[in-house]
Amino acid sequence: MSVWKEKENLGGEVVDAGVVILRTSGCAHSRGGGCTMCGYNQESSEGISSEDVIAQFQSASKSLDGTQFLKVYTSGSFLDQREMPLDAQREILSWCRDSGRGLLLESRTEFITEDSLGAALQVHDDIEVAIGLESANDRVLEFAINKDMTVADYDRAASAVKSAGARLRSYVLLKPPYLTEAEAIEDAISTAKHAALMSDTISINPVNVQKGTIVERLWKSWSYRSPWLWSVIEVLNACAELDRKVVCDPTGGGRERGAHNCGGCDEEALSAIREFSLTQSRNKIQVSECECHCLWETIRELEGLIVGGTPDLQRFFRKHGA
Ligand code: SF4
Ligand SMILES: [Zn+2]
């Protein structure tokens, strides 16, 4: 179990939010292979009981003083009763209700039903449900991400969340494997536009290279590079037009496994991205131009001309002194 506090924009005000990651039996989909970029289930373990999950939460709740909002992640689906038995769900929901905190929970679409939502909302009516849409393109969902979900599945679940009276947060993946940088930017922008039809919040999630994943295998063979921070900024600037709350906190940002630029301008780019998420400013993100901006533009054009893969051209140029 992990617990920490972070800032969140809640109704226009920046507040402290608690984040709790519970160790559970893990995502149902990961048992059948899982998503190409997801290594969360390395931490999961079969046979974690309901009592164990409740004990983890009770221990975490001691560190949440001063927070006004809670995010509970399970590395899977909060609404999957095999992973989060009903009494564990109720324990967390009632703690949030009694302490006056809104709760963000995540779920795959197949566990989002009128019944599962109804049962949760009966305990606590201040819930935000996060769904990993990832891409609004079924071919990307199937062949690049192996999400085992279609856009129609997302649409049905998103509409169930809204009809039940909960808020909806949608995750948009930036740069699944096998997409060039330019294709990834285009895919993330069109996915965010689709998500905006029903979502209250859109979270842009740049891929980071997690251990034990297909993405890691590709990355080790120079066939994958996590997105440039310039790409993250371009997507966020496009999303600023959507009139929705848009957030982004690149995991591993500025490092080789996370979204990164040249190393020299990463800190400035990351702090602009975080500032944008917190303030929800509709102004475009401004970062002083670094010479790597030109390399990013060149790579965007070159990648499209290479047949048969999406090599990490920046590493290639660095190694060969170009
Ligand atoms: S990304 Fe979500 S759905 Fe995919 S394997 Fe990971 S936890 Fe499961
Ligand atoms: Zn730079």
Side-chain angles (χ1 to χ4, degrees):
M1 179 272 291
S2 315
V3 55
W4 68 86
K5 293 178 190 174
E6 64 186 25
K7 299 286 179 202
E8 175 86 15
N9 183 311
L10 208 60
E13 196 194 335
V14 178
V15 302
D16 281 326
V19 182
V20 176
I21 301 189
L22 296 171
R23 197 156 170 264
T24 65
S25 54
C27 173
H29 174 47
S30 77
R31 289 181 209 116
C35 299
T36 52
M37 71 300 177
C38 180
Y40 292 136
N41 285 285
Q42 309 280 329
E43 301 297 317
S44 308
S45 152
E46 285 290 345
I48 294 187
S49 67
S50 183
E51 293 74 32
D52 187 344
V53 176
I54 291 173
Q56 290 178 49
F57 181 73
Q58 287 173 340
S59 159
S61 64
K62 295 186 185 122
S63 311
L64 297 172
D65 284 356
T67 57
Q68 294 181 39
F69 183 69
L70 186 61
K71 304 173 186 180
V72 173
Y73 303 138
T74 66
S75 307
S77 296
F78 187 98
L79 296 175
D80 174 4
Q81 288 183 33
R82 274 199 312 179
E83 192 189 339
M84 283 288 284
L86 272 181
D87 49 353
Q89 291 186 23
R90 283 202 199 100
E91 169 76 22
I92 296 168
L93 286 158
S94 51
W95 185 89
C96 288
R97 177 197 61 211
D98 297 345
S99 64
R101 289 167 170 87
L103 172 67
L104 173 78
L105 56 91
E106 301 175 321
S107 185
R108 280 182 60 84
T109 53
E110 60 265 39
F111 303 112
I112 299 175
T113 62
E114 217 175 292
D115 285 354
S116 66
L117 285 169
L121 284 159
Q122 223 168 22
V123 183
H124 188 28
D125 61 7
D126 187 0
I127 296 178
E128 183 168 344
V129 179
I131 304 178
L133 164 60
E134 323 296 9
S135 171
N137 179 328
D138 278 333
R139 295 185 66 229
V140 173
L141 283 175
E142 182 176 358
F143 299 114
I145 305 178
N146 189 37
K147 186 78 186 179
D148 193 28
M149 179 196 92
T150 62
V151 180
D153 292 330
Y154 163 84
D155 289 344
R156 182 211 52 82
S159 141
V161 169
K162 296 306 289 178
S163 323
R167 291 186 306 284
L168 174 66
R169 182 175 295 219
S170 297
Y171 295 152
V172 173
L173 197 67
L174 174 57
K175 206 167 174 200
Y178 316 119
L179 270 65
T180 62
E181 198 79 18
E183 288 166 341
I185 293 169
E186 201 183 310
D187 184 66
I189 294 173
S190 65
T191 303
K193 284 184 183 157
H194 186 86
L197 298 173
M198 278 191 271
S199 307
D200 301 274
T201 303
I202 297 167
S203 175
I204 305 295
N205 299 343
V207 168
N208 63 97
V209 180
Q210 298 178 6
K211 288 203 169 21
T213 59
I214 291 194
V215 164
E216 187 187 50
R217 226 183 296 156
L218 293 167
W219 176 72
K220 283 186 172 163
S221 61
W222 289 33
S223 302
Y224 182 79
R225 185 211 190 272
S226 27
W228 288 74
L229 290 166
W230 295 121
S231 305
V232 180
I233 290 169
E234 181 160 326
V235 172
L236 291 176
N237 280 339
C239 289
E241 319 282 325
L242 294 175
D243 197 25
R244 290 285 179 275
K245 179 175 166 187
V246 178
V247 295
C248 179
D249 185 8
T251 307
R255 294 202 291 268
E256 201 68 33
R257 282 178 178 259
H260 62 281
N261 282 349
C262 65
C265 61
D266 294 44
E267 260 326 301
E268 188 188 345
L270 283 166
S271 72
I273 290 166
R274 292 194 188 109
E275 187 66 15
F276 173 89
S277 297
L278 270 189
T279 58
Q280 292 299 297
S281 155
R282 293 283 154 240
N283 296 331
K284 300 260 185 224
I285 301 176
Q286 302 287 350
V287 178
S288 25
E289 195 116 321
C290 173
E291 54 186 31
C292 75
H293 191 269
C294 188
L295 177 61
W296 168 69
E297 284 181 327
T298 309
I299 284 175
R300 272 176 73 167
E301 280 168 33
L302 279 183
E303 269 187 337
L305 305 174
I306 295 170
V307 180
T310 51
D312 183 344
L313 289 177
Q314 187 195 18
R315 258 193 282 176
F316 177 84
F317 288 152
R318 212 187 285 143
K319 181 154 187 244
H320 296 281

